[in-house]
Amino acid sequence: MEQTNQWKGYTLEELRMKRAKALVMAEVSKSQLISAYKMAKSQTSNHGVRALLFNNNVLKGLKTTDYLILGAKTTMLGYRLWKKFKK
């Protein structure tokens, strides 16, 4: 029994559309990266590096459990470093 619905590949028009879509997506990603860089640069020039680390939007989104987990991980990392360099 022979299958009649075999895939025969992309047409030239489909390949052109896929290439155009990939180029547009690359340009969009590039512009998003540039805008994020400019925003971060302006924040650091106005308020220093703390502006990137302690953004109000980030702090508002964290819950108490997030703070506890972050604190526990930081404490464990500090303990490992202390134990490693104690020798």
Side-chain angles (χ1 to χ4, degrees):
M1 218 158 121
E2 206 173 300
Q3 288 184 346
T4 58
N5 293 335
Q6 290 184 351
W7 186 65
K8 297 179 182 175
Y10 292 116
T11 64
L12 191 57
E13 185 64 29
E14 288 174 329
L15 288 173
R16 286 181 181 148
M17 290 299 292
K18 287 187 178 291
R19 182 173 184 259
K21 184 178 178 183
L23 289 173
V24 167
M25 293 300 290
E27 283 296 318
V28 168
S29 296
K30 183 179 173 182
S31 67
Q32 286 175 344
L33 183 63
I34 289 171
S35 69
Y37 170 74
K38 286 181 181 177
M39 184 180 71
K41 187 176 177 182
S42 70
Q43 282 183 350
T44 55
S45 66
N46 293 338
H47 305 289
V49 178
R50 282 185 47 194
L52 290 177
L53 298 176
F54 300 108
N55 190 355
N56 287 338
N57 294 334
V58 173
L59 293 177
K60 288 178 185 175
L62 294 177
K63 296 184 172 139
T64 307
T65 54
D66 294 329
Y67 286 115
L68 292 173
I69 291 171
L70 184 62
K73 287 186 177 185
T74 305
T75 304
M76 290 173 66
L77 177 65
Y79 177 73
R80 284 189 208 130
L81 288 173
W82 176 73
K83 191 175 177 182
K84 182 178 180 179
F85 291 111
K86 185 175 99 172
K87 296 178 181 179

